[in-house]
Amino acid sequence: MNKIVNDFSITVGTKNGSGSSTANNTILRSIFKMGIPVSGKNLFPSNIQGLPTWYTIRVNKDGFIARQEKSDIVIAMNPDSFARDLASVSPGGAFFYADDIKQPITRVDVSIYPMPVKTIVRNDPNVPNDFRDLVGNMVYVGVLAQVIGIDLKKIEAALSFHFKGKQKPVDMNYGAVKAGAEWAKANLEKKGPLLSRSHEQNGRADHDRRQHRRCHRLDFRRRAVCGMVSHHPGFLARRGAQRLPAHAPQTRGRQAYLCRGAGGG
Amino acid sequence: MTEFAGLAYYTEVPVVIWDVQRIGPSTGLPTRTSQGDLTFTYFIGHGDSNSVILLPGDVSECFEFGWKSFDIAERLQTPVFVLSDLDMGMNQWMSKPFQYPESSMDRGKILWEKDIEEIKGNWGRYLDKDGDGIPYRSLPGNKHPMSAYFTRGTGHDEYARYTEDSETYLRVMARLKNKHETARKYMPKPVLHSMAGATVGILSFGSTENAILEARHMLAAEHGIKAEFLRVRALPFIDEVTDFIEKYEQIFVVEMNRDGQMNQVLLTEYPQFAARFKSVAYQDGLPASAKWVREGILAKYETVVVSDQKSVISDQKSVAGDRKAKGGAQKKPSAKKTASAAKAGSPSKKDAAKSSTKTKKPGRKTAVKSKKK
C-alpha cells in the first residue's frame, strides 16, 4: 500500500467564470481548518469568460507550500482543457472528471474517477435550475473529500465562513457536497476495481493486454485505505493523535493521497 | 510615473507607492506574477536619485509594510515604494493574524507653532539642521505666520528659493545622498534562516521564500549542500546584509525576473564582492517552485574542496603582489593553478588584502574550486 499523507498537489481545471472559485476556496479552507499547511494559487487568463482556468492547492504536512511543478490530483471540469489536464497528472496520481465530458482517457498510469456531477445536481430538489452550474462545482468537492478524507464538518465550516453565515446558500452548497460525498462513498466503495471500470467506460480495451494485467496486479497490491489522521508530529502534539477510522472508505489506484487532520482548526 | 516619482524625490514630498509586480504587457499576461520592477523602481527619477523600497515576503508583511511605509516616507520625506507581487496579491496564503501597530504614527521632523516661535521663524524647508540630510517641514493647520513654505520642483536652495547655481545644486544633491544613507537606519531588517554547517548563502526577496526554504531542504538532504538564507526586506541595504555577504564565498541570488535585477543591484552596491554573487533568475509568470530554485542553484554551484596545499586563489594575488614589491623575483604560479583560479573568479581587493596577510602563515587551509556536474 502506497499512502501519501498530507503531501500532494491538487489542480482543478475549469472554465473562467464558471463559479468554481467558491468550490476551490472551500477545499483550501477545509484542509486548512483540519490543521494542515496549505496554499492556493490561481492561474487564469485575463478576465475573458470561458477560457481555461486552473486553481492549484499545495498540501504539505511540513509546511512547504510553494507551487509544485506537478499535480498529483487533477479535477477536470472543462472539456476544452480535458486532454491537457489528463496529461498533467503525475504518474500514480488521480484524475477526477465530470462524466458528461466524453473524451478518451489516454492514461493507464493514473487512477480515474468519473463523477456524475450533472446527474447529482439535477436530482437535488433544493437546487434551483439557474444555480445548477454553480452548485455543481460543489459535487467535486464532496467526491474529493470522500476519496482523500477531507472532514465534511470542516467543509461546512468553510462554507459558512465564505457565505458569512447565511444559512440558505450554505445549505444549498453543502447539500451538493454531501451528495457528492455520498455518491463517492456508495459507488467507489462498492465497485472495487475502479480503474478497470473506468477503462471499460472510456474505451481502454485497445491497450496492450499484458500491460493491462500488469496494471491490475499493481492496483490490487496498492489497494489503499483513506483516513483522517495527522502524522505530523507537530499536529499530533498539539491536537492529540488519532488512528485511521474503521469506516474509512476504500479506493484503489497507483497511490492514495490522503488528507489527515486531527479535529483541530 | 517616473516624472512624478522624480518630482517627489527632489521636492522631498512623502509619498507611498505600491507596486504589485506582474509580467506584461497589456492584458492576459498580467495575470501572472513577477519581480521585474526592482531596478526600474530603484533608479527611478530625474538623473541621480536613490529610492527607498520595501520588499514584503508574505501577506502579513504586506499588512505591516502598509503602515510602516507611511512612517518611513514621512520620517525621510521621500517616496517609499513597496514591491509586492501578484503571487501575494492574488493567491491564498496562510498567515498569522495581522498585527496592528502599537506605536503611534511617525510624522517625522515637524515644526509646530511653538517650534517656529523659538527660532523666530528662521527656518528653511530644505535646510539640514541635524546633519542627517533630513530637513524640517510644517504641516497644514499650523497657524504660525512663518510656517508656510514653497515646495519647489525646480532648482532650489536651502530656503526653497529658485536657483540654478552650480554650487547650490551640488550641496542639495550631496544632502539628498546623505539622506539616503540615513534611510538605512529605518529599513526593516532582513529575515535570516540559519543552518548549522552552512557553506553557501542564498539571498532573495519577496514571495520566493517558500520555494527557497523547500529547495534549501532538498539541497541539504539530497546533495549535502547546506545554505544559510537571507531574505532582504528593503533597499537600501543595511549592515545585516553586508555581514551576510561577507560570510560566504558563494551567494545565490534567487529572483523571479529575466535579468537578475537584485543581482544587478548587489553588484552595484557591493562591487568588492562581485565574484561571490551567482544569479539564479527565472521568469515564466508562475510563482516560484522549489524545483527551479534547486536546479538553478545546482547549475551554478561550485564545490569547495578543502586541502592543506597552498591557496590557489589567494596565492595568485599574493604572489603577484610580492612580485611587484620585490621586482618580479617570485616564482610564477603553475598554469593549472592559474586556470583553477580563473574559473573560480577574481577575488575582491578586500579579499586580496586579507589573503596577502594569510599567506604569511604556513600550512593554512586553502580552497580549490571545481564545477560540480
Side-chain angles (χ1 to χ4, degrees):
Chain A
M1 186 186 303
N2 186 15
K3 289 189 293 184
I4 296 175
V5 181
N6 296 345
D7 185 15
F8 50 86
S9 289
I10 305 167
T11 297
V12 183
T14 57
K15 279 187 177 181
N16 199 8
S18 64
S20 59
S21 172
T22 304
N24 298 335
N25 280 327
T26 300
I27 296 171
L28 181 88
R29 286 202 180 101
S30 55
I31 294 172
F32 175 69
K33 285 175 182 294
M34 290 170 69
I36 305 165
V38 69
S39 68
K41 299 191 187 299
N42 289 288
L43 178 60
F44 62 91
S46 204
N47 289 323
I48 303 166
Q49 190 164 12
L51 286 184
T53 295
W54 292 272
Y55 186 80
T56 301
I57 296 171
R58 173 84 188 270
V59 180
N60 185 272
K61 60 184 181 299
D62 297 317
F64 294 129
I65 52 168
R67 181 180 67 89
Q68 275 195 310
E69 295 181 19
K70 67 187 183 78
S71 297
D72 303 308
I73 298 169
V74 174
I75 300 168
M77 300 293 286
N78 182 4
D80 296 337
S81 62
F82 186 87
R84 178 178 168 177
D85 290 341
L86 179 57
S88 71
V89 189
S90 301
F95 183 70
F96 298 79
Y97 70 99
D99 68 356
D100 57 300
I101 301 174
K102 304 297 182 188
Q103 293 191 29
I105 301 294
T106 54
R107 298 281 299 269
V108 295
D109 59 340
V110 298
S111 299
I112 307 295
Y113 296 86
M115 304 176 292
V117 173
K118 289 194 172 176
T119 306
I120 290 172
V121 176
R122 204 165 35 236
N123 291 338
D124 188 340
N126 297 319
V127 180
N129 289 349
D130 51 348
F131 279 88
R132 280 180 180 169
D133 286 343
L134 292 174
V135 175
N137 290 312
M138 287 296 162
V139 173
Y140 71 69
V141 177
V143 173
L144 178 72
Q146 180 63 29
V147 172
I148 70 171
I150 301 173
D151 188 344
L152 289 182
K153 290 293 177 194
K154 302 300 181 192
I155 291 178
E156 188 176 20
L159 285 169
S160 182
F161 177 87
H162 183 86
F163 291 110
K164 298 180 172 62
K166 294 174 185 170
Q167 204 55 46
K168 190 175 178 182
V170 171
D171 289 344
M172 187 163 55
N173 283 277
Y174 187 55
V177 172
K178 281 196 295 186
E182 285 164 8
W183 176 87
K185 187 175 182 180
N187 293 279
L188 299 186
E189 270 190 328
K190 288 175 183 173
K191 293 189 176 176
L194 180 64
L195 193 61
S196 173
R197 185 180 71 88
S198 300
H199 285 178
E200 290 162 8
Q201 283 183 338
N202 294 283
R204 287 298 308 153
D206 57 344
H207 74 277
D208 177 69
R209 187 181 300 169
R210 191 178 301 168
Q211 173 70 20
H212 189 90
R213 280 203 302 268
R214 197 156 53 229
C215 285
H216 279 235
R217 282 201 300 273
L218 188 66
D219 290 339
F220 281 117
R221 276 202 306 273
R222 292 185 175 176
R223 186 179 292 257
V225 177
C226 297
M228 307 260 304
V229 179
S230 172
H231 284 182
H232 186 249
F235 293 121
L236 291 176
R238 283 202 304 276
R239 303 174 188 282
Q242 294 180 11
R243 294 197 174 278
L244 285 170
H247 65 273
Q250 290 186 341
T251 185
R252 58 179 305 226
R254 303 293 182 270
Q255 289 167 338
Y257 297 95
L258 310 176
C259 236
R260 290 178 174 174
Chain B
M1 177 176 163
T2 302
E3 186 73 14
F4 289 112
L7 180 67
Y9 174 78
Y10 197 65
T11 55
E12 304 182 54
V13 173
V15 58
V16 172
I17 300 171
W18 273 81
D19 177 1
V20 183
Q21 299 169 95
R22 52 187 192 165
I23 58 174
S26 188
T27 186
L29 282 173
T31 59
R32 314 297 166 86
T33 192
S34 169
Q35 292 182 327
D37 293 347
L38 187 72
T39 49
F40 164 69
T41 313
Y42 194 54
F43 298 112
I44 199 169
H46 305 107
D48 292 318
S49 61
N50 309 94
S51 296
V52 172
I53 302 176
L54 302 185
L55 302 163
D58 56 41
V59 291
S60 65
E61 280 185 12
C62 285
F63 181 83
E64 177 192 349
F65 289 176
W67 60 265
K68 192 168 278 183
S69 57
F70 283 92
D71 277 5
I72 295 172
E74 296 215 70
R75 168 56 56 182
L76 298 173
Q77 298 173 27
T78 196
V80 171
F81 297 87
V82 189
L83 298 189
S84 172
D85 66 45
L86 212 59
D87 191 13
M88 285 181 273
M90 186 175 68
N91 293 325
Q92 277 81 38
W93 292 58
M94 294 189 300
S95 170
K96 292 177 182 173
F98 294 162
Q99 296 292 314
Y100 281 81
E102 293 176 354
S103 55
S104 56
M105 284 192 292
D106 181 6
R107 305 304 303 267
K109 295 183 180 180
I110 305 292
L111 293 176
W112 292 105
E113 287 88 341
K114 63 178 177 55
D115 305 315
I116 295 173
E117 194 59 38
E118 280 176 15
I119 56 176
K120 297 181 171 49
N122 183 22
W123 70 287
R125 171 66 185 94
Y126 300 112
L127 185 64
D128 183 8
K129 295 283 285 184
D130 303 325
D132 58 3
I134 306 172
Y136 284 80
R137 62 182 177 136
S138 59
L139 292 178
N142 188 322
K143 294 175 182 171
H144 196 285
M146 297 299 286
S147 66
Y149 62 87
F150 196 90
T151 299
R152 193 181 284 280
T154 49
H156 53 252
D157 67 6
E158 286 79 358
Y159 292 87
R161 295 175 297 217
Y162 177 83
T163 180
E164 296 176 21
D165 177 60
S166 297
E167 292 296 323
T168 307
Y169 177 73
L170 287 171
R171 277 204 314 274
V172 170
M173 293 304 283
R175 181 179 60 75
L176 289 172
K177 190 72 178 174
N178 185 29
K179 184 163 78 168
H180 193 66
E181 290 301 315
T182 302
R184 299 180 201 276
K185 286 199 305 188
Y186 299 98
M187 295 299 99
K189 291 185 177 180
V191 175
L192 179 68
H193 297 278
S194 299
M195 181 177 278
T199 56
V200 298
I202 300 173
L203 187 149
S204 82
F205 65 101
S207 66
T208 53
E209 183 175 41
N210 282 323
I212 293 171
L213 288 173
E214 187 176 359
R216 196 174 71 132
H217 176 77
M218 292 172 174
L219 287 167
E222 299 168 15
H223 304 277
I225 301 171
K226 293 184 177 178
E228 198 165 62
F229 168 32
L230 188 81
R231 179 166 62 81
V232 172
R233 300 204 300 165
L235 293 174
F237 297 120
I238 57 176
D239 288 346
E240 284 81 352
V241 179
T242 309
D243 293 344
F244 180 80
I245 292 168
E246 285 177 338
K247 275 171 74 176
Y248 297 105
E249 290 292 326
Q250 296 185 76
I251 295 166
F252 301 94
V253 185
V254 178
E255 53 192 312
M256 291 190 300
N257 52 56
R258 188 191 65 182
D259 296 333
Q261 297 184 14
M262 177 59 85
N263 192 59
Q264 291 173 18
V265 175
L266 286 164
L267 291 172
T268 303
E269 300 293 329
Y270 297 103
Q272 70 273 33
F273 297 124
R276 299 181 177 205
F277 301 126
K278 298 175 185 299
S279 178
V280 180
Y282 184 73
Q283 167 79 81
D284 65 358
L286 299 174
S289 73
K291 184 170 178 280
W292 79 251
V293 173
R294 180 186 63 174
E295 290 176 358
I297 290 174
L298 286 175
K300 300 203 173 178
Y301 177 72
E302 292 179 3
T303 309
V304 177
V305 180
V306 178
S307 73
D308 287 331
Q309 297 172 359
K310 277 196 168 183
S311 168
V312 171
I313 302 167
S314 47
D315 273 1
Q316 192 183 27
K317 280 280 179 186
S318 62
V319 166
D322 290 346
R323 196 188 309 136
K324 194 176 176 183
K326 298 177 181 177
Q330 291 291 320
K331 188 181 176 183
K332 193 175 180 180
S334 71
K336 189 179 176 184
K337 286 181 176 180
T338 307
S340 299
K343 195 173 181 181
S346 303
S348 66
K349 288 179 182 176
K350 189 174 178 181
D351 290 345
K354 284 182 182 175
S355 300
S356 297
T357 309
K358 285 181 178 178
T359 49
K360 292 173 183 172
K361 298 174 184 175
R364 64 186 171 74
K365 287 186 177 179
T366 59
V368 179
K369 297 184 176 183
S370 64
K371 197 89 172 176
K372 182 170 181 178
K373 299 292 178 187

